[in-house]
Amino acid sequence: MSQPLRISGLASGIDIDSMVQQLMQAARAPVDKLKQQKQLLQWEQEDYRDINKSLVSLRNSIFTAKLQSTYLAKKATSSNESALTVTATSAAEGIYQVDITQLATGVSVISSNLPEETASDGTTQSLAKQFNLPAGTTVTFELQGTEKDSNGQYITESFTFNADTQTIYDVISAINARNMGINASYDSTNNLFSLTSTGTGSSQHLKLVSDSISSVNGVAFLHDYLKLNLTTGSELFGKDAQVVIHDSSNTSVTYNMPSNSFSLLGLSFNLKAPATGITISVTKDIDTVVNNIKNFVNAYNDVLDKINAKLSEKRYYDYPPLTDDQKKAMSADDIKLWEEKARSGLLKNDFVLDDIAANMRSTMASIVSGLTTKYNNLSAIGITTSSDYMSEGGKLYIDETKLRQAIETDMSGVMDLFTKTADATDQKGLAQRLYDVVNNAIQTISSRAGSDAVSNLADQSYIGQRLKEIDANISDWEDRLNQLEDRYYSQFTAMEQAINQMNAQSLWLSQQLGIGQSSR
């Protein structure tokens, strides 16, 4: 659509652009109102989504609290930590006697001191110069590492080097590039070359299949020049760790392990040195259980505090969102201070958050029916609400002494209080119940305010739909305003054209009158 002709106020002397802007400013009031409504909804949406992020974090904490393994934590100690450190995973409580008769080892061969690999100018010397080999020498050897073929046979890798042009570092790179379970390295400080297996245990393997130098018969490069304790045909194997565990009936069981770190009988072992007569004690890990419950309660309190803060936040009705024109007349700091008040209290007394908080509080205050223990509610294990319930909104407090006593006295009872599963809600453990409550709360808020993971176009939430409606209304209004602005300019243009015509006619009459008078 072509824009209508716009003529400035040359004829009338009127500032038409300024006048149209003033007229349009008044006409834009409904659009500004819609944009303010949109801004309020966007802020409300952000506040809801922020609460939802906290609820998701709480749900993760609750998930840990409703697992039985959280309350079955064990603590293991070793009587000789210089030889063995141990942690408990699912081991039964008790005393274990352990002997470490052998550590797991890999394969390793290290040279004695070699000639310097660097020249006087700091550059790396060729193999021929480093080891004083005749010109034109070719070094060839074959190695077997840990890798086997489909028939279970060790794979032989062949290596050939031009001693005139290649260096000790080319040898290292070539060996390591074959991924044969053997690493080559060079200690330039002490001039030592080594071949070492990448793992430990009896499966680790190294064999020198062949070794020769083209210019010197009967001399082996790896053995005679790299000074490795390897001769052609020699074969090395790693060793498994050997651990002997004695039970109370004096029965001993020997375990062979390929690594010095392994799991066995619900314990994680880390062997450091051979030793005998090591005592491992496995007991309840009261500290871990207490900390897990404290973390759960803290996460619950944090979310409840956040919701309660939003429900009681002051609303400043005299501070609506700023329009674009208002922002142009204000500093950045003034805008920030204004908007802090403008978006304050948008969820004050919000029925959605109020319902979520009430459900959370009633869940944590309820009794678990059907338990065969006295620990059927939180207060029985030392977790209670503040005496000033109204001002703190149901925040929980822990009497750690009473909680520890309950765990030490009846760990199973405390575990059931949180983790019991059942079809009837009143028989479910508190963590099981709260998980359902929080999960429903997350879904409720998502249906009202959507999610950051969903694009605005795909957002089907209540606020998302309201924002789309407002955007459509703003678009309609912008079209109307553009038409109105064009009409104003058309009217002023018509006025200018009429004035121009009148001025032209007036000038013509004046000229005619002047001609008539001069002819007399």
Side-chain angles (χ1 to χ4, degrees):
M1 182 178 178
S2 61
Q3 187 168 329
L5 179 65
R6 295 182 177 181
I7 301 176
S8 60
L10 292 175
S12 65
I14 299 173
D15 186 350
I16 293 175
D17 287 335
S18 177
M19 184 169 290
V20 170
Q21 287 178 7
Q22 292 178 35
L23 292 169
M24 291 305 300
Q25 185 174 7
R28 291 192 64 85
V31 176
D32 289 337
K33 191 72 174 177
L34 285 171
K35 288 184 176 180
Q36 288 175 319
Q37 291 175 11
K38 178 180 177 180
Q39 182 64 83
L40 288 172
L41 280 172
Q42 287 175 327
W43 284 338
E44 185 178 333
Q45 184 183 61
E46 290 173 9
D47 288 348
Y48 270 128
R49 290 182 179 182
D50 187 49
I51 293 290
N52 235 11
K53 289 177 184 176
S54 298
L55 286 169
V56 169
S57 180
L58 172 59
R59 183 175 62 182
N60 294 337
S61 296
I62 300 170
F63 183 81
T64 300
K66 72 190 189 81
L67 296 176
Q68 290 189 347
S69 58
T70 300
Y71 307 89
L72 298 176
K74 301 294 193 302
K75 178 170 60 177
T77 58
S78 166
S79 64
N80 185 354
E81 291 197 343
S82 62
L84 168 65
T85 57
V86 62
T87 57
T89 52
S90 58
E93 295 175 39
I95 304 296
Y96 301 79
Q97 298 294 331
V98 177
D99 298 332
I100 303 172
T101 57
Q102 179 176 285
L103 292 180
T105 61
V107 175
S108 180
V109 286
I110 304 174
S111 71
S112 55
N113 292 89
L114 301 176
E116 289 279 354
E117 96 281 11
T118 55
S120 58
D121 61 359
T123 60
T124 302
Q125 300 188 100
S126 66
L127 293 172
K129 290 184 178 180
Q130 182 179 0
F131 296 103
N132 196 24
L133 298 172
T137 296
T138 299
V139 172
T140 304
F141 56 84
E142 293 178 313
L143 293 174
Q144 290 178 351
T146 301
E147 299 300 308
K148 295 181 179 180
D149 60 22
S150 57
N151 296 319
Q153 301 299 311
Y154 288 111
I155 298 172
T156 300
E157 299 284 356
S158 300
F159 302 90
T160 301
F161 302 95
N162 184 330
D164 292 334
T165 60
Q166 293 183 280
T167 70
I168 190 69
Y169 295 107
D170 292 318
V171 175
I172 292 168
S173 296
I175 293 173
N176 292 341
R178 301 294 177 90
N179 295 318
M180 49 192 299
I182 297 294
N183 276 341
S185 63
Y186 188 77
D187 179 353
S188 59
T189 301
N190 299 298
N191 300 313
L192 300 175
F193 180 88
S194 64
L195 294 175
T196 308
S197 62
T198 56
T200 58
S202 58
S203 65
Q204 303 303 303
H205 169 262
L206 173 63
K207 181 178 181 180
L208 180 58
V209 179
S210 66
D211 187 10
S212 63
I213 299 178
S214 63
S215 59
V216 185
N217 292 329
V219 177
F221 179 70
L222 293 181
H223 182 271
D224 297 321
Y225 284 92
L226 288 188
K227 299 181 182 179
L228 294 176
N229 188 22
L230 282 175
T231 57
T232 300
S234 61
E235 196 167 15
L236 303 176
F237 291 91
K239 295 179 180 179
D240 287 335
Q242 289 186 348
V243 178
V244 181
I245 297 181
H246 311 276
D247 63 19
S248 57
S249 63
N250 292 324
T251 300
S252 301
V253 180
T254 300
Y255 297 91
N256 294 317
M257 296 294 179
S259 170
N260 291 314
S261 297
F262 55 87
S263 294
L264 183 66
L265 303 176
L267 295 167
S268 294
F269 289 80
N270 182 25
L271 310 186
K272 297 180 178 180
T276 58
I278 303 172
T279 299
I280 297 174
S281 299
V282 180
T283 58
K284 295 175 184 175
D285 190 351
I286 304 297
D287 289 338
T288 295
V289 177
V290 168
N291 287 333
N292 285 334
I293 293 175
K294 287 168 71 175
N295 290 338
F296 163 58
V297 170
N298 288 337
Y300 170 87
N301 284 339
D302 288 344
V303 172
L304 204 57
D305 284 345
K306 201 165 195 174
I307 292 176
N308 288 332
K310 283 297 177 185
L311 288 171
S312 59
E313 192 174 48
K314 185 175 180 179
R315 184 80 177 97
Y316 295 91
Y317 292 99
D318 294 334
Y319 287 81
L322 296 168
T323 65
D324 293 338
D325 288 337
Q326 288 171 332
K327 287 181 180 179
K328 289 177 184 177
M330 299 173 66
S331 68
D333 289 340
D334 287 339
I335 292 172
K336 181 181 177 182
L337 292 172
W338 183 284
E339 290 190 341
E340 284 177 357
K341 290 190 174 182
R343 69 179 299 168
S344 173
L346 294 179
L347 298 180
K348 182 178 178 65
N349 297 325
D350 179 75
F351 72 94
V352 173
L353 295 188
D354 190 57
D355 189 51
I356 291 171
N359 287 338
M360 289 174 59
R361 288 192 293 262
S362 64
T363 296
M364 297 301 279
S366 59
I367 292 174
V368 179
S369 302
L371 294 181
T372 58
T373 172
K374 65 180 181 179
Y375 301 128
N376 63 353
N377 62 81
L378 287 181
S379 63
I381 63 171
I383 302 175
T384 58
T385 56
S386 167
S387 57
D388 190 1
Y389 183 89
M390 293 303 295
S391 65
E392 296 207 337
K395 185 175 180 179
L396 297 176
Y397 288 87
I398 298 176
D399 181 339
E400 190 168 327
T401 300
K402 190 172 181 179
L403 176 60
R404 284 181 178 275
Q405 183 180 9
I407 293 171
E408 291 171 356
T409 302
D410 187 1
M411 176 73 81
S412 179
V414 174
M415 179 176 67
D416 286 344
L417 173 63
F418 289 98
T419 69
K420 184 186 176 188
T421 57
D423 293 331
T425 300
D426 68 323
Q427 295 182 10
K428 287 183 178 181
L430 297 182
Q432 297 281 359
R433 261 189 248 181
L434 188 63
Y435 187 87
D436 294 338
V437 168
V438 170
N439 209 39
N440 289 335
I442 292 170
Q443 294 175 12
T444 299
I445 291 179
S446 294
S447 66
R448 185 165 184 81
S451 166
D452 290 334
V454 178
S455 68
N456 291 335
L457 291 176
D459 186 2
Q460 298 299 315
S461 68
Y462 169 76
I463 292 179
Q465 293 301 306
R466 287 281 295 114
L467 288 172
K468 290 176 186 177
E469 292 172 6
I470 291 175
D471 281 337
N473 288 336
I474 290 174
S475 180
D476 290 342
W477 265 103
E478 293 290 357
D479 290 340
R480 287 184 231 167
L481 291 172
N482 286 335
Q483 293 171 8
L484 179 61
E485 187 177 46
D486 289 343
R487 189 165 70 249
Y488 282 145
Y489 272 108
S490 295
Q491 291 171 345
F492 279 111
T493 298
M495 181 189 73
E496 288 290 317
Q497 290 172 337
I499 292 174
N500 275 333
Q501 186 176 1
M502 290 174 62
N503 289 339
Q505 290 174 347
S506 176
L507 179 61
W508 180 82
L509 286 172
S510 296
Q511 290 174 345
Q512 293 302 314
L513 289 173
I515 292 171
Q517 290 175 355
S518 63
S519 63
R520 289 187 193 145

